Amino acid sequence: MKRILLVTTVAIFTMGFAQADGKADYMNSGCVGCHGTTGVSAIPTYPKLAGQNAAYTVKQLKDFQTGARKDPTMSAMAGLAAGKEQSIADFLAKQK
Ligand code: HEC
């Protein structure tokens, strides 16, 4: 009984982490200050990222990283999302 309880607890714990991943990646990458906690910025010149197609967001982040797209702010910021582009984009796509 104890064993089943332990396995269940670990499974729920792991599931919670898997779901929170994109959010955590976004929150911990320094994006929130400009783009807001859900990808909706209070500042008009910072684009809204919430609800954007994940594939588009991933491409923009990679383009900023490679220099294919240039912006004084984002070219510097995109590196912080390195390796986490997809999970951040998936999280943002689900926001409103
Ligand atoms: C200091 C403010 C600032 C921070 C921090 C910041 N951004 Fe941005 N972001 C901008 C600005 C300004 C633009 C618009 C760039 C342009 O005009 O090309 C932008 C554009 C973008 C775009 C393109 C949106 C579109 O519609 O094409 C994406 C995607 C993006 N940011 C994601 C992120 C992510 C992910 C992070 C965290 C790693 C982040 N940003 C951190 C200011 C910021």
Side-chain angles (χ1 to χ4, degrees):
M1 186 62 187
K2 253 188 183 167
R3 200 181 165 87
I4 292 170
L5 204 64
L6 183 72
V7 170
T8 312
T9 310
V10 170
I12 291 169
F13 198 64
T14 314
M15 273 163 59
F17 262 106
Q19 283 169 353
D21 241 2
K23 184 175 186 174
D25 284 345
Y26 177 70
M27 295 297 173
N28 297 331
S29 298
C31 320
V32 174
C34 292
H35 292 289
T37 50
T38 60
V40 181
S41 174
I43 301 149
T45 49
Y46 297 161
K48 183 179 171 185
L49 308 176
Q52 185 56 268
N53 288 317
Y56 174 83
T57 301
V58 169
K59 183 175 189 300
Q60 301 319 303
L61 290 171
K62 296 207 164 148
D63 283 354
F64 281 126
Q65 288 164 6
T66 61
R69 179 173 173 180
K70 288 188 179 73
D71 174 73
T73 307
M74 272 313 295
S75 296
M77 290 309 299
L80 295 176
K84 299 176 280 186
E85 295 89 348
Q86 189 68 56
S87 69
I88 289 174
D90 287 343
F91 165 73
L92 289 168
K94 288 187 222 131
Q95 306 309 303
K96 288 182 188 156

